[in-house]
């Protein structure tokens, strides 16, 4: 008895402590980022100002006044939104077809789509740059960024939607057919209302992935269509030592998405563990 | 209203053929039940009629119109699914009205039909609820209501009662029978419950492995089964079968010789007698004897499980057992028309 009581007291203490430690370790970089963003560039590299310093908004003011933060932010919003919408417009009918009218090759198609995510992006950097810059002449346009963001997320979007749609009993879709609903009607009036939670989580996740994407948005834009990833990148590369400024830019870039994630936390968790339409 | 004609219908999924050439004529207004063991193709055939499954070859006609290439909603059929398949996010009213809305029926006409169906099915008080807030039996009524409002030429039911408990099943079965009497619409109904088949059907289709074994009125199947499979499938408990040995001018299954003139020469036959047709008699008159092994008391009747001298198990139905005890030897006879003869190898009926 005593042993059991002891071990349970131990685990009562041990697991929360471990959980908090892990959480803090993960959170620390973000905390340090925000912390540093209120230091001047000079303070940021001075060891004696590591913890104690005079907080300033200078970096943020500087960022909006001299580095055109809002243009990058608006670009991020526009490209992520449109890429997500486009991915859903393509993904919902695709997943619908694969979930309810599968052929012998449906499984192969799904696997093939996923396999494209296994190809290193760097491998197609040169062809992509050449194609968009010299051939199609769409380099550094919103159109290109939207297209690329949509395409790289499409496999995941279709996979997620497919899994949610699979949960819906086939008979309900068939009942719709018996009732004379058009294909578009099936999607609009039956499928999406029933899989609403799943569609919302998919959209949310796709949006977050688009927002955070850095490899292509940095390399396929120069100024016109650049997103916040490019802003961070631009403040890092040439000068190197301006940590205060870099932190402010990074904070301002990740803040919207963290806030969005925070508000939609329930939807995200529910969506990712979804499984009850029945 | 319309009848239904199926001509040499076949269905294959890739290489595997599951429906092997079905010919069937269903008269306008008939209640036809498909029965057969699991996997025999009942649902597939029904879904081919509904248009949810493409026909690999052959023709399906509703009325005079071949509907092979007609969309499900334009065939004049309505289907009730085993799982109800109601739209969970719509109210009961909307569930029933949805098909009519798609067909652009005028609003007051929709309202009239939905309320009328709701009245017939006694679900008027639930019209504003969603299916989630209904019991299984109520959901089943809504599913039937959804079919009724479309005023189809043919109703299709796929095991509509199998998700209900026994009491509710009996009650709903009665309501479906009443509904048919009232609407007089052709119904095709799938079940694997032969009691449902016997009680509901004007005609029964017995299916096995994608082929029709027999098509006829329930009593016709009961009295004159075309083969051993149908004989065993129709009737509860199942018909007893005995291996018969040939004797001069007849056959014996242990007791008195059964004389019969067979229409054809066969090597070996099975004799079938239903449990309810076995009548107790004296040892001299018995065609069959057995020792009592197990007794099943079912209230209004008793099922006696017996074993013949050859080790053949069979069942006899009694009203009461009286003073008969386990281990007693009982003797049975049956009237001539209640003794069935089947070819042992092909299973075909021999007269
Ligand atoms: N999509 C499919 N692909 C391949 N084979 C199928 C498919 N659908 C059904 N089958 C096969 O067709 C046969 C008939 O199936 P069906 O569902 O019609 O049987 P059933 O008589 O309704 O049986 P149950 O009483 O179990 O419902 C089965 O052997 C089944 O395995
Ligand atoms: Mg079935």
């Amino acid at each position: 008895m005593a042993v059991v009581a002891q071990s349970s007291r131990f685990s009562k203490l041990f697991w929360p402590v471990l959980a908090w430690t892990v959480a803090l370790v993960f959170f620390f970089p973000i905390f340090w980022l925000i912390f540093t963003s209120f230091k001047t560039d000079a303070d940021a590299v001075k060891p004696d100002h590591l913890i104690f310093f005079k907080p300033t908004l200078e970096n943020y003011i500087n960022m909006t006044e001299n580095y055109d933060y809002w243009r990058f932010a608006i670009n991020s919003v526009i490209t992520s939104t449109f890429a997500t919408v486009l991915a859903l417009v393509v993904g919902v009918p695709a997943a619908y077809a694969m979930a309810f009218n599968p052929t012998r090759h449906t499984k192969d198609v799904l696997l093939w789509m996923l396999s494209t995510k296994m190809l290193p992006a760097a491998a197609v950097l040169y062809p992509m740059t050449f194609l968009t810059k010299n051939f199609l002449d769409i380099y550094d346009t919103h159109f290109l960024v939207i297209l690329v963001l949509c395409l790289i997320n499409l496999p995941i979007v279709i996979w997620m939607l497919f899994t949610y749609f699979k949960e819906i009993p086939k008979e309900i879709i068939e009942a719709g057919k018996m009732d004379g609903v058009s294909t578009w009607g099936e999607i609009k009036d039956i499928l999406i209302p029933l899989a609403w939670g799943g569609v919302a989580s998919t959209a949310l996740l796709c949006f977050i992935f688009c927002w955070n994407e850095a490899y292509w948005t940095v390399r396929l834009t120069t100024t016109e269509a650049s997103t916040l990833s490019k802003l961070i990148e631009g403040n890092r590369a040439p000068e190197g030592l301006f940590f205060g400024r870099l932190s402010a830019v990074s904070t301002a870039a990740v803040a919207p998405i963290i806030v969005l994630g925070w508000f939609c936390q329930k939807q995200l968790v529910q969506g990712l563990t979804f499984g009850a339409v029945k | 209203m319309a009848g239904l004609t199926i001509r040499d219908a076949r269905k294959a999924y890739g290489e595997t053929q599951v429906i092997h050439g079905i010919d069937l004529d269903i008269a306008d207004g008939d209640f036809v039940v498909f029965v057969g063991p699991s996997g025999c193709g009942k649902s597939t055939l029904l879904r081919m009629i509904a248009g949810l499954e493409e026909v690999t070859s052959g023709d399906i006609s509703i009325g005079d119109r071949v509907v092979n290439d007609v969309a499900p909603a334009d065939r004049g059929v309505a289907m009730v699914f085993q799982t109800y398949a109601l739209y969970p996010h719509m109210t009961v009213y909307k569930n029933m009205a949805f098909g009519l809305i798609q067909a652009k029926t005028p609003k007051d006409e929709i309202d009239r039909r939905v309320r009328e169906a709701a009245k017939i099915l006694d679900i008027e008080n639930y019209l504003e609820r969603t299916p989630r807030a209904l019991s299984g039996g109520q959901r089943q009524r809504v599913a039937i209501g959804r079919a009724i409002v479309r005023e189809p030429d043919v109703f299709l039911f796929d095991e509509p009662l199998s998700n209900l408990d026994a009491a509710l099943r009996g009650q709903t079965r009665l309501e479906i029978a009443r509904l048919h009497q009232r609407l007089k619409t052709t119904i095709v109904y799938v079940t694997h419950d032969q009691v449902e088949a016997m009680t509901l059907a004007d005609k029964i289709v017995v299916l096995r492995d994608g082929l029709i074994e027999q098509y006829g009125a329930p009593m016709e199947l009961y009295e004159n089964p075309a083969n051993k499979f149908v004989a065993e499938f129709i009737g509860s408990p199942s018909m007893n079968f005995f291996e018969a040995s040939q004797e001069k001018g007849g056959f014996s299954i242990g007791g008195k010789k059964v004389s019969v003139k067979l229409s054809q020469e066969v090597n070996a036959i099975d004799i079938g007698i239903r449990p309810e047709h076995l009548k107790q008699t004296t040892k001299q008159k018995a065609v069959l004897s057995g020792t009592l092994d197990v007794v099943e008391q079912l209230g209004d009747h008793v099922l006696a499980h017996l074993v013949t001298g050859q080790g053949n198990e069979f069942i006899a139905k009694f009203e009461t057992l009286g003073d008969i005890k386990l281990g007693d030897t009982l003797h049975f006879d049956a009237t001539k028309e209640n003794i069935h003869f089947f070819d042992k190898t092909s299973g075909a009926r021999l007269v």
Side-chain angles (χ1 to χ4, degrees), chain A residues 29-40:
Chain A
I30 295 174
F31 163 75
W32 196 249
L33 187 72
I34 298 168
F35 194 65
T36 311
S37 73
F38 294 106
K39 295 178 182 176
T40 60

Side-chain angles (χ1 to χ4, degrees), chain B residues 7 9 42 47 60 76 82 143 149 157-158 191 223 283 295:
Chain B
R7 284 286 163 268
K42 307 180 292 291
R47 292 165 55 81
I60 292 178
Q82 179 176 355
V149 295
F157 288 83
D158 192 353
T191 179
E223 283 164 0
K283 188 169 183 191
V295 172

Side-chain angles (χ1 to χ4, degrees), chain B residues 147-282:
Chain B
I148 291 178
V149 295
R150 302 197 50 219
E151 299 181 353
D153 294 327
V154 181
F155 281 109
L156 306 173
F157 288 83
D158 192 353
E159 308 209 23
L161 308 186
S162 58
N163 283 351
L164 303 178
D165 64 42
L168 205 52
R169 201 179 306 157
Q171 187 192 333
T172 314
R173 192 174 71 209
L174 205 68
E175 272 164 25
I176 291 177
R178 242 183 239 135
L179 195 69
H180 180 238
Q181 273 164 18
R182 177 178 181 144
L183 301 175
K184 303 206 164 43
T185 308
T186 314
I187 294 184
V188 182
Y189 185 107
V190 166
T191 179
H192 58 247
D193 179 351
Q194 60 95 22
V195 178
E196 258 170 56
M198 292 295 283
T199 53
L200 286 172
D202 292 318
K203 285 193 162 181
I204 294 179
V205 178
V206 181
L207 285 166
R208 175 165 63 155
D209 295 340
L211 277 172
I212 294 180
E213 291 287 316
Q214 193 172 2
Y215 176 41
M219 283 316 280
E220 198 178 320
L221 268 61
Y222 178 81
E223 283 164 0
N224 299 308
N227 52 49
K228 205 175 148 185
F229 178 81
V230 176
E232 193 170 4
F233 202 82
I234 300 290
S236 167
S238 284
M239 186 184 277
N240 299 304
F241 294 101
F242 307 93
E243 213 170 297
S245 54
Q246 192 152 19
E247 287 179 9
K248 214 194 271 153
F251 293 89
S252 165
I253 49 175
K256 196 181 63 173
K257 189 171 64 183
V258 185
S259 57
V260 65
K261 273 205 95 65
L262 293 180
S263 50
Q264 62 201 95
E265 267 307 305
V266 286
N267 295 328
I269 71 163
D270 273 324
I271 283 183
I273 308 174
R274 295 193 183 278
E276 56 272 35
H277 293 149
L278 286 171
K279 297 282 171 266
Q280 239 188 314
T281 182
T282 59

